[in-house]
């Protein structure tokens, strides 16, 4: 009887430890796992929910009217990765899973969208550089010029953050912004 009670205790404890950093009642957006690479906290200013304004570039070069958006972030995979989702007023929703791979010392971001379902998720990669997080994905310009679609998080603080998507050439001397988002943290 004692052995079965001890066994049940240890099994319960080990099962809890497997999910200890997942979102829960006490931690609705999860927590960073201390066993994860220290970079897991690069996105700490984003964890939670923000009210955002999203705007994209029109064909004529002007900026579209801003769209209201909720951007929600949480730690997943028992605190070893980050997931985000956007819920936009126009019905276009998207999200991503972000994992830091220690072997390459880089973040890998796999993006998905309700408006553009895909059998293979596009992937950006990059790192935190000083006070910005910069991610790249190879992409040619409409004229065929080689380059990247660069995503940058900046002005990250307790109040919110900003994000911009830009096409850049390989030397990053040509920069063409196509999408921008400004976020304000929701009151708890």
């Amino acid at each position: 009887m004692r052995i079965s009670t001890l066994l049940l205790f240890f099994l319960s404890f080990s099962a809890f430890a497997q999910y200890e950093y997942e979102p829960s009642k006490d931690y609705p957006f999860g927590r960073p796992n201390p066993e994860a690479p220290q970079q897991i906290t690069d996105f700490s200013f984003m964890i939670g929910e923000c009210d955002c304004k999203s705007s994209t570039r029109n064909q004529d070069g002007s900026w579209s009217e801003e769209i209201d958006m909720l951007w929600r972030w949480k730690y997943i995979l028992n605190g070893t990765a980050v997931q985000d989702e956007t819920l936009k007023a126009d019905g276009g929703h998207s999200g991503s899973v972000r994992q830091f791979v220690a072997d390459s010392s880089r973040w890998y971001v796999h993006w998905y969208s309700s408006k553009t379902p895909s059998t293979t998720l596009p992937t950006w990669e990059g790192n935190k550089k000083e006070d910005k997080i910069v991610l790249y994905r190879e992409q040619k310009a409409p004229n065929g010029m080689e380059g990247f679609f660069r995503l940058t998080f900046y002005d990250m603080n307790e109040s919110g953050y900003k994000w911009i998507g830009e096409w850049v050439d390989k030397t990053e001397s040509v920069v063409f912004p196509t999408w921008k988002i400004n976020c304000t943290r929701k009151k708890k």
Side-chain angles (χ1 to χ4, degrees), residues 18-39:
Q18 291 176 14
Y19 309 112
E20 183 176 2
Y21 301 100
E22 281 292 300
S24 65
K25 182 181 171 192
D26 292 333
Y27 300 98
F29 303 106
R31 295 181 293 160
N33 190 320
E35 300 297 319
Q38 70 181 30
Q39 289 84 354

Side-chain angles (χ1 to χ4, degrees), residues 13-59:
F13 181 75
S14 69
F16 173 74
Q18 291 176 14
Y19 309 112
E20 183 176 2
Y21 301 100
E22 281 292 300
S24 65
K25 182 181 171 192
D26 292 333
Y27 300 98
F29 303 106
R31 295 181 293 160
N33 190 320
E35 300 297 319
Q38 70 181 30
Q39 289 84 354
I40 194 68
T41 61
D42 286 355
F43 290 94
S44 63
F45 284 119
M46 279 72 121
I47 300 298
E49 292 184 345
C50 281
D51 289 319
C52 306
K53 301 285 187 184
S54 172
S55 183
T56 55
R57 179 89 63 178
N58 293 315
Q59 289 289 343

Side-chain angles (χ1 to χ4, degrees), residues 42 106 126-134 136 172:
D42 286 355
R106 301 182 77 69
N127 283 301
K128 186 170 186 181
K129 297 177 182 178
E130 296 172 12
D131 60 344
K132 298 177 182 178
I133 298 173
V134 184
Y136 297 88
E172 298 186 65

Side-chain angles (χ1 to χ4, degrees), residues 56-64 176:
T56 55
R57 179 89 63 178
N58 293 315
Q59 289 289 343
D60 67 3
S62 65
W63 287 97
S64 68
F176 186 74

Side-chain angles (χ1 to χ4, degrees), residues 45-94:
F45 284 119
M46 279 72 121
I47 300 298
E49 292 184 345
C50 281
D51 289 319
C52 306
K53 301 285 187 184
S54 172
S55 183
T56 55
R57 179 89 63 178
N58 293 315
Q59 289 289 343
D60 67 3
S62 65
W63 287 97
S64 68
E65 189 173 318
E66 291 180 333
I67 296 170
D68 289 332
M69 179 179 102
L70 171 73
W71 205 338
R72 180 181 300 136
W73 295 74
K74 63 184 175 182
Y75 291 105
I76 62 167
L77 302 177
N78 199 33
T80 62
V82 176
Q83 182 178 23
D84 69 273
E85 64 180 331
T86 64
L87 302 170
K88 298 180 190 84
D90 69 355
H93 312 305
S94 61

